Amino acid sequence: MQRVSSMSAFGRGRAARPPGMRLGNLDAQVRAALFGQGQGGYMLSFDRTDCLYQAPDGTLQASAAGNPLGLVLDQRFGGPAADQIINGGFNDASGWTLSTPWSISGGRAIKAAGNSGSLTQAQTLEVGAYYEITFDYYNVSGSGTLYAAIRGGTTRFGPVVTADTLGTGKYRAVIQAVSGNNTVDITVPNGPVVGEFDNYTLRKLPGNHFQQATATARPILRQGTSGAWYAEGDGVDDLLIIPAAIDLSAFNHVTQFLGIALNTAITSGRVIAESSANSGTIPATHGFVFGADQSISARVYGANAPVTVVSSGGAVVVGTKYNAMHSASLDVANNFLQINSLQSSSPNNPGGTKFGNFAHSLLGRNGTSGVNAPAALYCYTAVFSNGPLSAVQQALGRSWVRSKMGA
């Protein structure tokens, strides 16, 4: 039975988050303009606590300055997909498998005192995809814990919460499915725990999500004096990666937007963001780099190797915010780099085929040395769209970037 529940702070947004954390009209306009025709890519910012997690398993949100960033969800689709749970309102027992002492009555699933147990439902889950599980809980008490899990194959756990002081509220978990996963549940492993549950949902989180499996290589979430949120890279090994290939087959044109600030001066080339067929060994098909003179350059794939198609033509100032955009086409010679409304252009047409379907990285490329090393960088936002954009669409993308930078 669908009810409106009271909500605890658990699993929700940061209490002190400014109103801009909510999906606004500009967010929707940018998604429609940059991805409305099926373009591949991603869209992310660091002011959305519901999209930030401390590790790739999604069990703990990055909810405060100083938290590590192990998973950053793509905002390109604006939110999760449709709920795929059958009878999440518990009108009866259909769709669910109950173990003692679980029962369903009055439009709620009820866990009585006694044995441990779980409430499960079979589901078809996509390997590698992230899913959001939510449910409401009422009058939960007793010595022990509870959590959501995805089972079958290797069990994937949501956040484990202590039941004795839980009371009434809402649970939320983000879990990545792995091979063999085929059921979802509420698990109460301790007999004394009692409570009632309702409004169970399971929604896939579509998009291309950045992650970092190595704990010591995770950028840090920070907030500037202007209130803007950003990821801080250490310039040594911190970076975020989309490990799976992004499908860029629809168009042979790419546009990337970045909101960045250089943290410390550099004396050798550093990667800001790029796509690459094989991180660390194969040159980028498209990317932004800092030159040794602290200029920003964009490069795209040529016949056999990447070529720098355009450069900012001057050093960026450490600590100054830059909204940079690069548009590159493999059909026509209209490559250009625009930084804070100043545009440089180049007649260099790299030729070759489409940009291909490659993994992407942000803040660096797998910590390799030389020009491939990560940058000591503040990153406020990043957007990558695989499709030709009009001047109006480009301006809209830049406006969104500036809004996320407090500029």
Side-chain angles (χ1 to χ4, degrees), residues 42 105 110 118 158 173 216-217 232 244 265 388:
Y42 55 81
S105 177
I110 300 171
S118 62
T216 56
E232 179 184 29

Side-chain angles (χ1 to χ4, degrees), residues 38-286:
Q39 297 96 324
Y42 55 81
M43 176 178 175
L44 65 88
S45 62
F46 296 95
D47 64 340
R48 288 278 307 278
T49 185
D50 58 323
C51 295
L52 307 177
Y53 295 85
Q54 297 188 36
D57 60 12
T59 57
L60 187 61
Q61 285 184 294
S63 58
N67 287 159
L69 293 166
L71 172 65
V72 180
L73 299 179
D74 187 357
Q75 300 171 29
R76 182 165 45 113
F77 294 94
D83 181 18
Q84 59 189 71
I85 282 290
I86 299 170
N87 186 26
F90 300 108
N91 296 312
D92 52 34
S94 60
W96 295 97
T97 299
L98 290 73
S99 62
T100 304
W102 283 87
S103 63
I104 292 178
S105 177
R108 290 180 178 175
I110 300 171
K111 165 62 173 64
N115 299 329
S116 61
S118 62
L119 176 76
T120 66
Q121 182 171 125
Q123 284 286 334
T124 299
L125 303 171
E126 179 184 335
V127 174
Y130 284 89
Y131 290 86
E132 176 192 67
I133 294 175
T134 66
F135 54 80
D136 297 330
Y137 53 84
Y138 306 86
N139 306 315
V140 174
S141 63
S143 176
T145 61
L146 66 86
Y147 53 85
I150 296 178
R151 300 182 185 275
T154 301
T155 300
R156 308 286 285 175
F157 299 98
V160 177
V161 294
T162 301
D164 56 0
T165 58
L166 201 57
T168 296
K170 193 174 199 68
Y171 179 97
R172 179 177 184 266
V174 171
I175 306 175
Q176 186 180 31
V178 297
S179 179
N181 288 163
N182 57 13
T183 61
V184 298
D185 73 11
I186 301 174
T187 295
V188 181
N190 311 99
V193 174
V194 299
E196 301 176 11
F197 303 86
D198 199 0
N199 304 322
Y200 194 111
T201 68
L202 172 71
R203 295 183 174 94
K204 181 181 175 182
L205 297 171
N208 298 305
H209 310 304
F210 280 92
Q211 59 183 265
Q212 176 52 262
T214 303
T216 56
R218 292 170 186 161
I220 302 300
L221 180 64
R222 303 289 189 195
Q223 186 178 31
T225 55
S226 67
W229 293 86
Y230 59 89
E232 179 184 29
D234 63 3
V236 178
D237 57 3
D238 287 0
L239 77 160
L240 295 165
I241 303 166
I242 300 175
I246 295 179
D247 185 359
L248 303 179
S249 60
F251 305 95
N252 47 7
H253 190 110
V254 295
T255 303
Q256 174 133 39
F257 303 85
L258 289 169
I260 56 174
L262 189 60
N263 186 1
T264 59
I266 58 175
T267 57
S268 62
R270 299 281 168 154
V271 171
I272 305 171
E274 74 172 33
S275 59
S276 176
N278 187 349
S279 297
T281 59
I282 305 299
T285 60
H286 175 267

Side-chain angles (χ1 to χ4, degrees), residues 3-46:
R3 293 183 173 91
V4 177
S5 68
S6 62
M7 293 171 60
S8 72
F10 177 76
R12 312 310 292 165
R14 184 183 293 110
R17 179 73 71 192
M21 76 158 283
R22 295 185 177 274
L23 291 175
N25 189 46
L26 181 58
D27 297 54
Q29 290 181 54
V30 171
R31 288 195 302 271
L34 273 58
F35 304 104
Q37 271 103 46
Q39 297 96 324
Y42 55 81
M43 176 178 175
L44 65 88
S45 62
F46 296 95

